[in-house]
Amino acid sequence: MLAKCLRFERGERMNPKQKEIMEYLKRNNGILSYRKVKEAGLSYRAYRKMIEQQILEPLGNGLYGLADCYMDEWYLIQLRNTKGIYALDTALWLHGLSLTVPFEKTMMFPYGVNTTVIKQSQEVKPVVTRTNFDVGIVEIERQKGQRIRIYEIERTLVECLRPVYKMDVQLIAQAFKIYFQKYSVNYQKLMHYAKLFKVTDKIYSYIEVLS
């Protein structure tokens, strides 16, 4: 951990309740919130004191993290949008299937989630789906212990073909080319998602050209 983290681990200016919070932070990627303070039975007064001393810094949405510890941007966005799954062009880039860094970070949300605040924050582009939200979710580790949720490669590729999303054809073509060149192609999964999203003809076209 970094300088300030080590200083507090050595016990400088720390009372027992602050040490207890530090131990919790070490077990939870350096992240804490008021709700977690209550659930874990930690001292709220010590928690507030650590914020005042700038040991903890605000990360948004009521989350605080150790000031000297690096937090991956994509991980923090996931923490602030716990119901969201990275999807479409953003998932392509995170999977290494696109050389184009997404201008907007796209996340899929289940129907019923109020996305008004999410849109206002302009942090992610929310896409709401009524069906198949839970299908094909995987986790990838950005930094040690910092995991984000994302749709698996085959779902991402196939879902990008849906006309409703109006994805860039060249971006999709490049992603399929990289997938067929660098990955073990899972034809079964591709066809499963093609039937699920009703783009079977389009998948056949890509398979025919790239196989």
Side-chain angles (χ1 to χ4, degrees), residues 10-173:
R10 291 198 299 266
E12 296 180 17
R13 295 200 311 250
M14 290 187 68
N15 61 45
K17 293 186 182 299
Q18 287 178 318
K19 288 181 180 180
E20 190 177 0
I21 290 175
M22 285 296 292
E23 287 301 316
Y24 178 92
L25 288 164
K26 283 191 287 183
R27 295 193 303 270
N28 292 273
N29 298 318
I31 303 290
L32 191 55
S33 67
Y34 174 59
R35 181 170 64 86
K36 293 297 183 182
V37 167
K38 290 184 66 178
E39 289 177 359
L42 300 171
S43 168
Y44 178 68
R45 181 175 294 181
Y47 172 61
R48 292 300 308 172
K49 186 69 174 177
M50 292 173 78
I51 294 172
E52 292 169 7
Q53 292 176 329
Q54 297 183 340
I55 303 168
L56 296 173
E57 63 180 3
L59 302 175
N61 281 23
L63 298 171
Y64 284 82
L66 286 168
D68 285 343
C69 296
Y70 174 74
M71 295 291 171
D72 178 75
E73 176 190 6
W74 299 83
Y75 174 64
L76 290 177
I77 291 173
Q78 180 74 84
L79 290 176
R80 289 192 286 262
N81 299 274
T82 55
K83 294 183 179 179
I85 311 295
Y86 287 110
L88 301 174
D89 57 333
T90 298
L92 289 179
W93 186 79
L94 288 168
H95 280 306
L97 297 175
S98 172
L99 302 177
T100 305
V101 180
F103 177 70
E104 295 178 297
K105 296 175 175 65
T106 303
M107 295 187 90
M108 198 82 74
F109 292 85
Y111 180 74
V113 171
N114 187 340
T115 59
T116 302
V117 175
I118 298 170
K119 290 175 182 176
Q120 289 174 349
S121 72
Q122 298 183 339
E123 182 172 59
V124 299
K125 175 185 175 183
V127 176
V128 176
T129 180
R130 288 177 176 267
T131 58
N132 304 312
F133 173 79
D134 294 324
V135 180
I137 298 172
V138 296
E139 289 189 347
I140 60 175
E141 192 171 56
R142 294 285 299 173
Q143 299 288 328
K144 186 176 180 181
Q146 299 181 13
R147 305 181 71 84
I148 62 174
R149 297 198 301 162
I150 182 173
Y151 287 117
E152 65 179 334
I153 290 176
E154 289 78 15
R155 167 169 176 158
T156 300
L157 284 165
V158 175
E159 193 164 23
C160 286
L161 295 174
R162 295 186 66 194
V164 67
Y165 297 127
K166 299 178 181 178
M167 296 279 294
D168 186 302
V169 175
Q170 291 185 338
L171 184 71
I172 297 172

